[in-house]
Amino acid sequence: MSSNNQELEKAKTHIIVEIIEYIPNSVVIKTIIKKTTGNISAVSFDSGEALSEKISPFDTFIQIIDGEAMIVIDGTAHKLSVGESIIIPAHTRNIIEAKVRFKMISTIIKSGY
């Protein structure tokens, strides 16, 4: 997995689906905005890749911007296509995987601040 924590340039137009590339056998994360109160990232998954099961203390909003994703929340699989989104509730087991390659935007708003 590769990650770029540098935020996108402010007050400039961006085409989000184009700011992140597919890299063979990889998950790539590009930070759009990173703050103590939450972050927004663009993520690309090559086909067959996945993020291992995790539990986040915060709600996570996922929007698919290219391809199709499989999001498993507490054992229930959700297949999402371009333009579709889902909220992964805080404190639930989840897995994000690519049967085919896809790109998504992940938004986490940290509560309690």
Side-chain angles (χ1 to χ4, degrees):
M1 178 166 50
S2 75
S3 182
N4 180 342
N5 283 329
Q6 184 177 344
E7 287 188 3
L8 289 184
E9 185 178 343
K10 294 180 172 119
K12 181 179 184 259
T13 302
H14 301 280
I15 300 173
I16 298 302
V17 75
E18 294 178 1
I19 68 163
I20 191 163
E21 299 297 323
Y22 289 110
I23 296 179
N25 307 309
S26 297
V27 175
V28 180
I29 302 170
K30 168 76 176 157
T31 300
I32 297 172
I33 298 173
K34 186 173 185 71
K35 304 290 181 202
T36 57
T37 52
N39 58 61
I40 302 171
S41 302
V43 187
S44 71
F45 288 72
D46 194 21
S47 111
E49 295 299 312
L51 293 179
S52 56
E53 183 177 85
K54 65 178 181 173
I55 298 174
S56 171
F58 309 108
D59 288 344
T60 303
F61 176 76
I62 302 293
Q63 181 177 11
I64 306 308
I65 58 174
D66 189 46
E68 292 181 343
M70 186 65 64
I71 313 290
V72 181
I73 301 171
D74 273 345
T76 301
H78 305 270
K79 184 177 179 182
L80 278 70
S81 299
V82 173
E84 294 183 317
S85 59
I86 195 165
I87 298 170
I88 301 171
H91 310 293
T92 58
R93 294 178 300 113
N94 66 86
I95 302 168
I96 301 174
E97 57 187 339
K99 304 289 187 200
V100 297
R101 68 186 196 166
F102 75 93
K103 294 178 182 178
M104 69 180 197
I105 295 173
S106 171
T107 304
I108 298 171
I109 309 263
K110 297 179 180 178
S111 55
Y113 284 92

